Amino acid sequence: METTAADEVVGICRDLLRIDTTNTGDPRTTVGERVAAEYVAGKLGEAGIDVELHESAPKRANLIARIPGADRSRGALLVHGHLDVVPADASEWSVDPFSGEEKDGYLWGRGAIDMKDFDAMMLAVVRDWARTGYVPPRDIVLCYTADEEAGMQYGSQWLVDNHREKFEGCTEAVGEVGGYSYTVNDDLRLYLVQTAEKGLDWLRLHATGRPGHGSFIHDDNAVTNLADAVARVGHHRFPTVVTPTVRTFLEQVGDALQIDIDPAEPELAIAKLGPIANLIGATIRNTANPTRLEAGYKDNVIPGRASATIDCRTLPGEADQFLATLRELIGPDIEIEHVHQQPAVETSFDGALVDAMGAALRAEDPGARTVPYLMSGGTDAKAFATLGIRCFGFAPLRLPADLNFASLFHGIDERVPVEGLKFGVRVLDRLLRNS
C-alpha cells in the first residue's frame, strides 16, 4: 500500500518533538534550531526537494524550499512554520516534554501545537507530492524559521532583512495560529482563521532616584518611583475597541450561537465561548502587562536606578493613542525604552484562498464553518507582512469539544490529538491543491 501524508505526519511530528529547540530568548541558554532544520532538510532531500539552510547565528538555522507550480506566472503561496519552542519545566509535566509520547489519543510534547504539528503537516504533504509526482497549481515556498518565540530577530525578520529575494513573487502566506475548531453542537463547528494580530511593543521603564543607605529616610527612591508607575499601568483597564475583524467574528458567532450580540458589550458574548474565551477576550482592547522588575545589588542599599519590562499589545490602528495613554499613566519622570516593536497586521477575510480554506475544511468536516479572528499574540506574519504578503493563520485541526485548546499554548502538558493531526494534513493538502 502506498504511503500517504496522513500515514507519515504523526511520525514526523514525533521526531520533531524529540528534538529540543528551546528558545529562552537568551543566546547563552537557547538551544537553537539547527538540528531540527537539518532533520527537515533531510526529509525534503529524501523526496528530491532542493533546500537552502540560512544560519543567522550559531545553531540558529532557517530553511527555505521553493516547489515549482504549474502556473509560474501566478503569485506564489508562502507556507511557513517556526521550529523553536518555549521552555518547559519537566517537573511540572506528566510526561517528558521532549519525549513525543503518544497516549490517550494525543501526541504530547513541547511544541505539539506551537507549532511542530503544522511543521509536520507541511513536510508530510510535500513529501507525498514528490512520491506521486504531483505539481501544485502555483509555486509553494516552504519556510521553516528560527526564533519566532523571542522576537524573530534570528528568524523571519532576519530572512526578510537579509534574504528577501527568496520570497519574490509571494502574494499570500499561511502559518499559525488558526484553522482550529470550536464546537457549537454536533452539527456545527466554527474554524477560526487568523486574519489579524495585535502589534507588539516590549517596553523597558527606567526610574532614577537618590541612592543611599537603606536605613535612611529617602523621598526620592528609584524603586518606589518605578513601583508607582508600574502599578498604575498594571491596574489600568484600556477601553473596548471592536476592530473590523472582531466585529465580523462576533457577528458570525452570534449567528452560529443564535444569540444577539451588542458590539458595545462584546464581553457578554465572549463569555459564552467557553475554552476560547481567553483567546478572544484579549482581542477587544489594548493591553499592557508588567512582566519583569530589576533593581539594586544589596539588601541595605537604595539603588539609584530601577527598571521594569512592560509587554504591550495593541490593536490595529491603535498604537499612537495607546502610547499617549501609557505615557500619561507612567508619568513624565520615567524613561521609556522601546526594546522591541512590531506593528499590528490585518487583512480582509475574502478572496480565492479564503474560499479554498472553507472548501477544504468542509470536504473533511461537513459541519465546518470558517470565521475570521484577531489573535492577541504575534507570529512570523509580522515580518512577512512587511513584504506586502497577505498573511493568514491556518494550521487546521479538528479538536475534541472538551479540549481547552487555548490553555495548551506555552502551557503544561501541551499535546495535539493524533486524529486531529491526520485531519489537518488532509485539509492542508486539499487547500494547497486548490489555491
PDB file of all heavy atoms in Angstrom, residues 268-289:
ATOM      1  N   LEU A 268     -19.875  40.277  26.904  1.00  0.00           N
ATOM      2  CA  LEU A 268     -21.008  39.421  27.262  1.00  0.00           C
ATOM      3  C   LEU A 268     -21.095  38.218  26.324  1.00  0.00           C
ATOM      4  O   LEU A 268     -21.401  37.105  26.757  1.00  0.00           O
ATOM      5  CB  LEU A 268     -22.310  40.232  27.212  1.00  0.00           C
ATOM      6  CG  LEU A 268     -22.416  41.398  28.202  1.00  0.00           C
ATOM      7  CD1 LEU A 268     -23.737  42.132  28.013  1.00  0.00           C
ATOM      8  CD2 LEU A 268     -22.283  40.880  29.636  1.00  0.00           C
ATOM      9  N   ALA A 269     -20.831  38.470  25.036  1.00  0.00           N
ATOM     10  CA  ALA A 269     -20.855  37.375  24.067  1.00  0.00           C
ATOM     11  C   ALA A 269     -19.639  36.474  24.215  1.00  0.00           C
ATOM     12  O   ALA A 269     -19.745  35.238  24.175  1.00  0.00           O
ATOM     13  CB  ALA A 269     -20.931  37.936  22.650  1.00  0.00           C
ATOM     14  N   ILE A 270     -18.479  37.089  24.402  1.00  0.00           N
ATOM     15  CA  ILE A 270     -17.243  36.312  24.504  1.00  0.00           C
ATOM     16  C   ILE A 270     -17.277  35.379  25.709  1.00  0.00           C
ATOM     17  O   ILE A 270     -16.756  34.253  25.659  1.00  0.00           O
ATOM     18  CB  ILE A 270     -16.033  37.269  24.568  1.00  0.00           C
ATOM     19  CG1 ILE A 270     -15.853  37.962  23.207  1.00  0.00           C
ATOM     20  CG2 ILE A 270     -14.757  36.535  24.957  1.00  0.00           C
ATOM     21  CD1 ILE A 270     -14.838  39.071  23.206  1.00  0.00           C
ATOM     22  N   ALA A 271     -17.919  35.804  26.778  1.00  0.00           N
ATOM     23  CA  ALA A 271     -18.004  34.962  27.982  1.00  0.00           C
ATOM     24  C   ALA A 271     -18.721  33.647  27.724  1.00  0.00           C
ATOM     25  O   ALA A 271     -18.550  32.681  28.481  1.00  0.00           O
ATOM     26  CB  ALA A 271     -18.714  35.732  29.097  1.00  0.00           C
ATOM     27  N   LYS A 272     -19.492  33.588  26.639  1.00  0.00           N
ATOM     28  CA  LYS A 272     -20.244  32.374  26.320  1.00  0.00           C
ATOM     29  C   LYS A 272     -19.462  31.406  25.443  1.00  0.00           C
ATOM     30  O   LYS A 272     -19.987  30.364  25.059  1.00  0.00           O
ATOM     31  CB  LYS A 272     -21.551  32.751  25.626  1.00  0.00           C
ATOM     32  CG  LYS A 272     -22.463  33.642  26.468  1.00  0.00           C
ATOM     33  CD  LYS A 272     -23.710  34.047  25.699  1.00  0.00           C
ATOM     34  CE  LYS A 272     -24.587  34.974  26.537  1.00  0.00           C
ATOM     35  NZ  LYS A 272     -25.814  35.385  25.808  1.00  0.00           N
ATOM     36  N   LEU A 273     -18.216  31.743  25.139  1.00  0.00           N
ATOM     37  CA  LEU A 273     -17.443  30.939  24.200  1.00  0.00           C
ATOM     38  C   LEU A 273     -16.630  29.830  24.851  1.00  0.00           C
ATOM     39  O   LEU A 273     -15.875  29.139  24.174  1.00  0.00           O
ATOM     40  CB  LEU A 273     -16.505  31.845  23.383  1.00  0.00           C
ATOM     41  CG  LEU A 273     -17.187  32.898  22.516  1.00  0.00           C
ATOM     42  CD1 LEU A 273     -16.159  33.685  21.733  1.00  0.00           C
ATOM     43  CD2 LEU A 273     -18.189  32.258  21.568  1.00  0.00           C
ATOM     44  N   GLY A 274     -16.747  29.665  26.146  1.00  0.00           N
ATOM     45  CA  GLY A 274     -16.076  28.553  26.823  1.00  0.00           C
ATOM     46  C   GLY A 274     -14.576  28.613  26.723  1.00  0.00           C
ATOM     47  O   GLY A 274     -13.960  29.649  27.004  1.00  0.00           O
ATOM     48  N   PRO A 275     -13.931  27.507  26.273  1.00  0.00           N
ATOM     49  CA  PRO A 275     -12.466  27.416  26.307  1.00  0.00           C
ATOM     50  C   PRO A 275     -11.724  28.463  25.495  1.00  0.00           C
ATOM     51  O   PRO A 275     -10.564  28.746  25.777  1.00  0.00           O
ATOM     52  CB  PRO A 275     -12.199  26.005  25.742  1.00  0.00           C
ATOM     53  CG  PRO A 275     -13.453  25.240  25.989  1.00  0.00           C
ATOM     54  CD  PRO A 275     -14.555  26.242  25.845  1.00  0.00           C
ATOM     55  N   ILE A 276     -12.354  29.054  24.470  1.00  0.00           N
ATOM     56  CA  ILE A 276     -11.625  30.035  23.661  1.00  0.00           C
ATOM     57  C   ILE A 276     -11.899  31.472  24.111  1.00  0.00           C
ATOM     58  O   ILE A 276     -11.421  32.416  23.487  1.00  0.00           O
ATOM     59  CB  ILE A 276     -11.948  29.893  22.161  1.00  0.00           C
ATOM     60  CG1 ILE A 276     -13.428  30.199  21.882  1.00  0.00           C
ATOM     61  CG2 ILE A 276     -11.540  28.540  21.644  1.00  0.00           C
ATOM     62  CD1 ILE A 276     -13.726  30.340  20.401  1.00  0.00           C
ATOM     63  N   ALA A 277     -12.651  31.632  25.214  1.00  0.00           N
ATOM     64  CA  ALA A 277     -12.970  32.979  25.681  1.00  0.00           C
ATOM     65  C   ALA A 277     -11.713  33.778  26.007  1.00  0.00           C
ATOM     66  O   ALA A 277     -11.624  34.970  25.687  1.00  0.00           O
ATOM     67  CB  ALA A 277     -13.895  32.911  26.897  1.00  0.00           C
ATOM     68  N   ASN A 278     -10.734  33.138  26.652  1.00  0.00           N
ATOM     69  CA  ASN A 278      -9.496  33.842  26.991  1.00  0.00           C
ATOM     70  C   ASN A 278      -8.748  34.287  25.739  1.00  0.00           C
ATOM     71  O   ASN A 278      -8.160  35.374  25.692  1.00  0.00           O
ATOM     72  CB  ASN A 278      -8.594  32.954  27.844  1.00  0.00           C
ATOM     73  CG  ASN A 278      -9.091  32.821  29.263  1.00  0.00           C
ATOM     74  OD1 ASN A 278      -9.898  33.619  29.720  1.00  0.00           O
ATOM     75  ND2 ASN A 278      -8.619  31.804  29.962  1.00  0.00           N
ATOM     76  N   LEU A 279      -8.778  33.439  24.727  1.00  0.00           N
ATOM     77  CA  LEU A 279      -8.074  33.735  23.481  1.00  0.00           C
ATOM     78  C   LEU A 279      -8.690  34.936  22.782  1.00  0.00           C
ATOM     79  O   LEU A 279      -7.989  35.817  22.267  1.00  0.00           O
ATOM     80  CB  LEU A 279      -8.120  32.507  22.567  1.00  0.00           C
ATOM     81  CG  LEU A 279      -7.170  32.460  21.380  1.00  0.00           C
ATOM     82  CD1 LEU A 279      -5.738  32.323  21.848  1.00  0.00           C
ATOM     83  CD2 LEU A 279      -7.527  31.296  20.468  1.00  0.00           C
ATOM     84  N   ILE A 280     -10.020  35.010  22.793  1.00  0.00           N
ATOM     85  CA  ILE A 280     -10.727  36.080  22.097  1.00  0.00           C
ATOM     86  C   ILE A 280     -10.846  37.326  22.970  1.00  0.00           C
ATOM     87  O   ILE A 280     -10.835  38.452  22.474  1.00  0.00           O
ATOM     88  CB  ILE A 280     -12.120  35.599  21.658  1.00  0.00           C
ATOM     89  CG1 ILE A 280     -11.994  34.347  20.779  1.00  0.00           C
ATOM     90  CG2 ILE A 280     -12.862  36.698  20.922  1.00  0.00           C
ATOM     91  CD1 ILE A 280     -11.159  34.541  19.530  1.00  0.00           C
ATOM     92  N   GLY A 281     -10.940  37.134  24.275  1.00  0.00           N
ATOM     93  CA  GLY A 281     -11.155  38.257  25.182  1.00  0.00           C
ATOM     94  C   GLY A 281     -10.081  39.319  25.111  1.00  0.00           C
ATOM     95  O   GLY A 281     -10.353  40.510  25.319  1.00  0.00           O
ATOM     96  N   ALA A 282      -8.864  38.918  24.800  1.00  0.00           N
ATOM     97  CA  ALA A 282      -7.758  39.878  24.736  1.00  0.00           C
ATOM     98  C   ALA A 282      -7.718  40.636  23.416  1.00  0.00           C
ATOM     99  O   ALA A 282      -6.825  41.459  23.208  1.00  0.00           O
ATOM    100  CB  ALA A 282      -6.434  39.152  24.954  1.00  0.00           C
ATOM    101  N   THR A 283      -8.673  40.360  22.514  1.00  0.00           N
ATOM    102  CA  THR A 283      -8.635  40.998  21.197  1.00  0.00           C
ATOM    103  C   THR A 283      -9.580  42.181  21.096  1.00  0.00           C
ATOM    104  O   THR A 283      -9.745  42.746  20.008  1.00  0.00           O
ATOM    105  CB  THR A 283      -8.995  39.981  20.088  1.00  0.00           C
ATOM    106  OG1 THR A 283     -10.378  39.605  20.211  1.00  0.00           O
ATOM    107  CG2 THR A 283      -8.113  38.751  20.171  1.00  0.00           C
ATOM    108  N   ILE A 284     -10.197  42.591  22.188  1.00  0.00           N
ATOM    109  CA  ILE A 284     -11.138  43.711  22.125  1.00  0.00           C
ATOM    110  C   ILE A 284     -10.608  44.941  22.862  1.00  0.00           C
ATOM    111  O   ILE A 284     -11.323  45.924  23.019  1.00  0.00           O
ATOM    112  CB  ILE A 284     -12.514  43.312  22.689  1.00  0.00           C
ATOM    113  CG1 ILE A 284     -12.399  42.822  24.133  1.00  0.00           C
ATOM    114  CG2 ILE A 284     -13.176  42.273  21.800  1.00  0.00           C
ATOM    115  CD1 ILE A 284     -13.736  42.593  24.805  1.00  0.00           C
ATOM    116  N   ARG A 285      -9.364  44.863  23.330  1.00  0.00           N
ATOM    117  CA  ARG A 285      -8.769  46.046  23.943  1.00  0.00           C
ATOM    118  C   ARG A 285      -7.253  45.932  23.886  1.00  0.00           C
ATOM    119  O   ARG A 285      -6.688  44.838  23.738  1.00  0.00           O
ATOM    120  CB  ARG A 285      -9.221  46.202  25.399  1.00  0.00           C
ATOM    121  CG  ARG A 285      -8.980  44.996  26.281  1.00  0.00           C
ATOM    122  CD  ARG A 285      -9.225  45.310  27.759  1.00  0.00           C
ATOM    123  NE  ARG A 285     -10.401  46.096  28.025  1.00  0.00           N
ATOM    124  CZ  ARG A 285     -11.617  45.600  28.251  1.00  0.00           C
ATOM    125  NH1 ARG A 285     -11.802  44.294  28.222  1.00  0.00           N
ATOM    126  NH2 ARG A 285     -12.647  46.396  28.503  1.00  0.00           N
ATOM    127  N   ASN A 286      -6.593  47.066  23.979  1.00  0.00           N
ATOM    128  CA  ASN A 286      -5.143  47.079  24.116  1.00  0.00           C
ATOM    129  C   ASN A 286      -4.775  46.584  25.511  1.00  0.00           C
ATOM    130  O   ASN A 286      -5.557  46.718  26.464  1.00  0.00           O
ATOM    131  CB  ASN A 286      -4.607  48.494  23.921  1.00  0.00           C
ATOM    132  CG  ASN A 286      -4.936  49.050  22.551  1.00  0.00           C
ATOM    133  OD1 ASN A 286      -4.740  48.392  21.548  1.00  0.00           O
ATOM    134  ND2 ASN A 286      -5.458  50.277  22.506  1.00  0.00           N
ATOM    135  N   THR A 287      -3.585  46.025  25.647  1.00  0.00           N
ATOM    136  CA  THR A 287      -3.141  45.543  26.953  1.00  0.00           C
ATOM    137  C   THR A 287      -1.708  45.980  27.222  1.00  0.00           C
ATOM    138  O   THR A 287      -0.904  46.152  26.297  1.00  0.00           O
ATOM    139  CB  THR A 287      -3.212  44.006  27.057  1.00  0.00           C
ATOM    140  OG1 THR A 287      -2.397  43.423  26.028  1.00  0.00           O
ATOM    141  CG2 THR A 287      -4.638  43.510  26.918  1.00  0.00           C
ATOM    142  N   ALA A 288      -1.391  46.164  28.498  1.00  0.00           N
ATOM    143  CA  ALA A 288      -0.029  46.483  28.940  1.00  0.00           C
ATOM    144  C   ALA A 288       0.200  45.754  30.251  1.00  0.00           C
ATOM    145  O   ALA A 288      -0.373  46.121  31.285  1.00  0.00           O
ATOM    146  CB  ALA A 288       0.141  47.980  29.111  1.00  0.00           C
ATOM    147  N   ASN A 289       1.005  44.707  30.208  1.00  0.00           N
ATOM    148  CA  ASN A 289       1.214  43.870  31.379  1.00  0.00           C
ATOM    149  C   ASN A 289       2.664  43.924  31.858  1.00  0.00           C
ATOM    150  O   ASN A 289       3.582  43.556  31.111  1.00  0.00           O
ATOM    151  CB  ASN A 289       0.855  42.412  31.065  1.00  0.00           C
ATOM    152  CG  ASN A 289      -0.637  42.213  30.917  1.00  0.00           C
ATOM    153  OD1 ASN A 289      -1.403  42.626  31.777  1.00  0.00           O
ATOM    154  ND2 ASN A 289      -1.057  41.594  29.830  1.00  0.00           N
TER     155      ASN A 289
END
